Amino acid sequence: EYRILKNKFVQVLTGEGKSIILGVTAIILAMMGCDVECVCYSEYLSSRDCNAFREMFDDFGVESYIHYDTIDGTCERIIDEEGNLRDL
């Protein structure tokens, strides 16, 4: 039912508020029942942003729908959840 929302990418330039845009968008999508993957190349930035919004995620009751991680961490988690890589 939310097919139009699947796999969308957006470019936000330096200083345009990526962290806030991502945090608020993640909350909205999670409230719609979507699992949200917030992926970043930097472990520091991913942890910083997740911690900055954690209280708000809890307040909206969506913390279990929102996942912040690095590119590598996200790929590893998806592979682990799906099972043997050779079977995918």
Side-chain angles (χ1 to χ4, degrees):
E1 63 192 56
Y2 296 111
R3 258 181 272 161
I4 63 169
L5 299 175
K6 188 174 182 178
N7 298 325
K8 300 297 180 189
F9 286 92
V10 177
Q11 180 178 6
V12 181
L13 301 176
T14 302
E16 292 185 338
K18 283 184 275 298
S19 297
I20 294 170
I21 292 167
L22 184 60
V24 171
T25 302
I27 290 170
I28 292 167
L29 292 171
M31 290 176 69
M32 294 170 61
C34 298
D35 284 315
V36 181
E37 303 285 343
C38 301
V39 182
C40 182
Y41 70 94
S42 166
E43 186 174 339
Y44 167 77
L45 293 174
S46 183
S47 294
R48 180 199 69 184
D49 290 354
C50 183
N51 291 332
F53 284 94
R54 180 167 284 137
E55 186 175 335
M56 194 177 301
F57 297 155
D58 290 341
D59 289 344
F60 280 94
V62 295
E63 64 281 350
S64 65
Y65 292 94
I66 301 172
H67 313 281
Y68 276 77
D69 206 345
T70 61
I71 296 167
D72 288 344
T74 299
C75 291
E76 289 172 10
R77 184 175 53 75
I78 291 169
I79 290 169
D80 288 346
E81 288 174 359
E82 297 296 324
N84 188 335
L85 180 60
R86 291 185 172 104
D87 294 337
L88 296 178

